[in-house]
Every structure is written in structure tokens, then in C-alpha cells.
Amino acid sequence: MATRFPKALQPTYMNTILRFFSWRKCMILSVAVIAILIVLNFYGLYTNKFYFFKFDNYIFPLFTVVHFIFLYVLWFKIKEQEYTDPQMRNLEYAMYGIFLIYMFKIMDTLYILLSYTEYQDHIMPNTFIPVGTIIFFLQFFLLFLTILTFKHRILMVGPYNFDNINENIDSWQ
């Protein structure tokens, strides 16, 4: 595994995590977590109802389309043992922006969960804390899986090195 750390200083915990979460497990878990979060995105914690007619609830599923495309491209590159290309680089750069949106969603969920004490005089549904906690942990797990996906891309597909791009192109296809 090529890292910037000298061999003696390489973090062994990362090797263990990458072995436990192989690229296939990482992709399957990412798809499952994103699908669950898309459904839970329509859920209102304060009211214990699903809201399908709010425009704001459709923003997260639109951003996850880019995540699904990135996972598919990564799967294809690993399966076909291809090198990185500029389109994959641009897609990963878009994923960095989506990563920030995922972080915002975590902070928003945490803010809603912490507002429980402000509204404890009102009638709150019994599912507020359990479902909110599940949503929070799934969002955090999605961040973790996204970082692991980036790491697997570096290790299995390779870095974005376009100085010698002509050597990586198969001109016969």
C-alpha cells in the first residue's frame, strides 16, 4: 500500500479498516445506506410523518445520483482494471462538494436532535430520539464509507496522474 508515511510509521489501523471494508463491501454498504437515507429524508422527526410534497426533501436524492454514478464508475474501473481519466477526476471533485453537503446534513440532524430540550413542553413523538439517532448514525456512516471509497480508488485504480496520459490510452478501441 503506497502512502506518504514511511513504512515504519504507516498507520496499521487503516490497513485493518481497508481489509475489513473491502471495496465491494464498501460499495454495497454505500448503496444500502444511501437508499435508506433517501427514504428517511422524507420523514419529519417533529411530526412522525412522511412529507413527499416538500421541495426541500428532493434535494438530497438529487445529489445522491452523483454518488451512485461515482460508485458505478469506480466499480467499472476496478472490474476492467482501467486507469483514471479526466471524467472520473471531475466526478470525484463533484463528490468532494457533495461530501460537504453530507456534513451539512449531519449538522442539521444533530441540531434537530439537540433541540429536543427546547420543545420538551410540546408533544413530541416517541420516535423522535430513536429515529433521529438512526438517521444521524447512518449519515455519519455514509461519510465514513465515502472516505473509504476515495481511499479504495487511490489504491485500486490509481492516482490522477495526467503527465503521462498518452501511455494509459488504448487507441485501438
Side-chain angles (χ1 to χ4, degrees), residues 13 36 61 99 104 117 129 165 170:
Y13 62 88
I36 293 168
F99 186 83
F104 171 76
T117 57
I129 295 293
I165 194 164
D170 185 8

Side-chain angles (χ1 to χ4, degrees), residues 25-136:
K25 280 184 189 176
C26 193
M27 288 194 181
I28 291 169
L29 286 172
S30 293
V31 169
V33 168
I34 290 171
I36 293 168
L37 283 174
I38 286 174
V39 171
L40 291 175
N41 185 57
F42 294 99
Y43 180 75
L45 282 174
Y46 291 122
T47 59
N48 195 22
K49 294 180 182 176
F50 283 90
Y51 295 99
F52 295 106
F53 296 112
K54 284 180 62 180
F55 175 74
D56 298 348
N57 292 344
Y58 289 95
I59 295 173
F60 178 76
L62 285 175
F63 283 121
T64 59
V65 169
V66 177
H67 199 143
F68 283 126
I69 293 170
F70 179 75
L71 290 174
Y72 172 75
V73 168
L74 182 63
W75 170 78
F76 183 79
K77 295 283 187 185
I78 291 172
K79 182 181 167 211
E80 298 294 324
Q81 297 179 350
E82 291 186 4
Y83 295 106
T84 56
D85 54 12
Q87 292 85 4
M88 185 178 186
R89 180 196 59 197
N90 295 340
L91 195 58
E92 187 168 330
Y93 290 166
M95 280 297 300
Y96 295 154
I98 291 172
F99 186 83
L100 294 174
I101 292 168
Y102 290 165
M103 286 177 36
F104 171 76
K105 291 290 285 181
I106 284 178
M107 290 186 290
D108 186 44
T109 304
L110 185 64
Y111 175 75
I112 291 172
L113 283 173
L114 294 177
S115 70
Y116 181 75
T117 57
E118 291 180 28
Y119 300 111
Q120 65 186 5
D121 295 336
H122 303 324
I123 298 174
M124 299 292 279
N126 294 335
T127 59
F128 183 81
I129 295 293
V131 174
T133 305
I134 289 170
I135 291 171
F136 177 75

